[in-house]
């Protein structure tokens, strides 16, 4: 009689597992691509800047006490990179007296301060010979009010503004960690005063008029 063979139990197919892994990989790649794309504004501006901001000169010491600021009298470093208009921008010592305002798109106090400065510029303008420049820093595509360029455009912000890089090198070079921040620089390129928090228009006017040549 012919020998009977035991029935062969079919092995479960690994195809569903492979397909599942591939789908998970595709989802992960799509998420990475979405984050990468979100770091570029609709106008093609990288926010944060892909190239590191170039720092010339020594970084300012950390700002802790406005009543005893070790940066006062020190030369402000020169920061070079890209502006909100996509063009090269260089701010710092050697460009005459200036006020540098530090902004973060997710900062509610910055969102309150920008309209104050826009209104001040429209009504009074900067004193002759004194510049106002900005620094858009601590840029995070995952936080609210991104991208900063779109927010500032909505507010009518026309101030030359440097876009910081992902490491916030420009912010660190100015020794600042809070927003909004202000660095007031005299005609010799030295720090006169640093300040953090919302600033009233009258206080801002007093500070910039003191810089006038």
């Amino acid at each position: 009689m012919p020998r009977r063979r035991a029935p062969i139990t079919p092995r479960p197919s690994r195809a569903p597992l492979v397909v599942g892994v591939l789908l998970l990989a595709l989802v992960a790649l799509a998420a990475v691509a979405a984050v990468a794309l979100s770091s570029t504004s609709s106008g093609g501006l990288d926010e944060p800047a892909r190239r590191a901001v170039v720092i010339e000169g020594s970084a300012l010491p950390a700002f802790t006490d406005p009543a005893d600021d070790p940066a006062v009298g020190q030369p402000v470093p020169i920061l070079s990179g890209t502006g909100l208009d996509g063009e090269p921008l260089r701010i710092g010592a050697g460009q005459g007296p200036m006020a540098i305002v530090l902004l973060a798109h997710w900062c509610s106090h910055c969102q309150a301060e920008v309209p104050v400065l826009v209104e001040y510029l429209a009504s009074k303008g900067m004193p002759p010979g004194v510049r106002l420049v900005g620094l858009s820093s601590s840029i995070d595509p995952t936080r609210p009010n991104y991208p900063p360029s779109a927010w500032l455009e909505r507010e009518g912000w026309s101030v030359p503004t440097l876009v910081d890089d992902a490491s916030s090198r420009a912010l660190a070079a100015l020794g600042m960690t809070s927003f909004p921040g202000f660095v007031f620089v005299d005609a010799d390129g030295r720090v006169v005063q640093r300040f953090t928090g919302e600033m009233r228009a009258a206080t801002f006017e007093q500070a910039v008029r003191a810089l006038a040549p």
Side-chain angles (χ1 to χ4, degrees):
M1 294 181 62
R3 299 176 61 183
R4 293 184 179 181
R5 295 183 180 180
I8 299 175
T9 304
R11 295 183 180 179
S13 173
R14 301 183 64 181
L17 178 61
V18 173
V19 171
V21 171
L22 288 175
L23 286 175
L24 287 174
L26 288 174
V27 170
L29 287 173
V32 171
V35 171
L37 289 173
S38 66
S39 67
T40 301
S41 67
S42 59
L45 178 68
D46 291 324
E47 298 178 74
R50 294 193 181 186
R51 291 186 178 181
V53 172
V54 177
I55 312 296
E56 299 176 56
S58 300
L60 297 178
F63 177 69
T64 55
D65 184 3
D68 185 21
D69 187 354
V72 172
Q74 292 195 15
V76 68
I78 300 173
L79 316 174
S80 300
T82 304
L84 285 176
D85 58 0
E87 297 297 323
L89 181 61
R90 179 182 171 95
I91 60 177
Q95 299 180 343
M98 67 176 63
I100 308 172
V101 57
L102 287 56
L103 302 169
H105 61 92
W106 43 263
C107 165
S108 59
H109 296 289
C110 297
Q111 294 164 22
E113 183 67 32
V114 165
V116 172
L117 295 176
V118 169
E119 173 60 27
Y120 172 80
L121 293 174
S123 60
K124 296 188 176 182
M126 294 293 287
V130 181
R131 299 178 64 207
L132 176 62
V133 294
L135 172 66
S136 173
S137 189
S138 295
I139 304 168
D140 186 347
T142 67
R143 301 189 72 172
N145 205 32
Y146 180 87
S149 57
W151 158 52
L152 293 171
E153 183 178 3
R154 289 193 303 270
E155 294 292 346
W157 182 259
S158 58
V159 176
T161 300
L162 185 70
V163 179
D164 211 346
D165 54 38
S167 299
S168 299
R169 285 167 54 84
L171 182 70
L174 295 175
M176 305 288 272
T177 57
S178 300
F179 299 97
F182 296 85
V183 181
F184 297 96
V185 182
D186 66 16
D188 295 324
R190 298 184 179 276
V191 177
V192 173
Q193 178 187 2
R194 291 189 295 181
F195 180 85
T196 57
E198 295 180 37
M199 183 178 287
R200 295 181 301 172
T203 306
F204 178 78
E205 180 177 25
Q206 182 180 9
V208 293
R209 287 195 178 280
L211 300 175

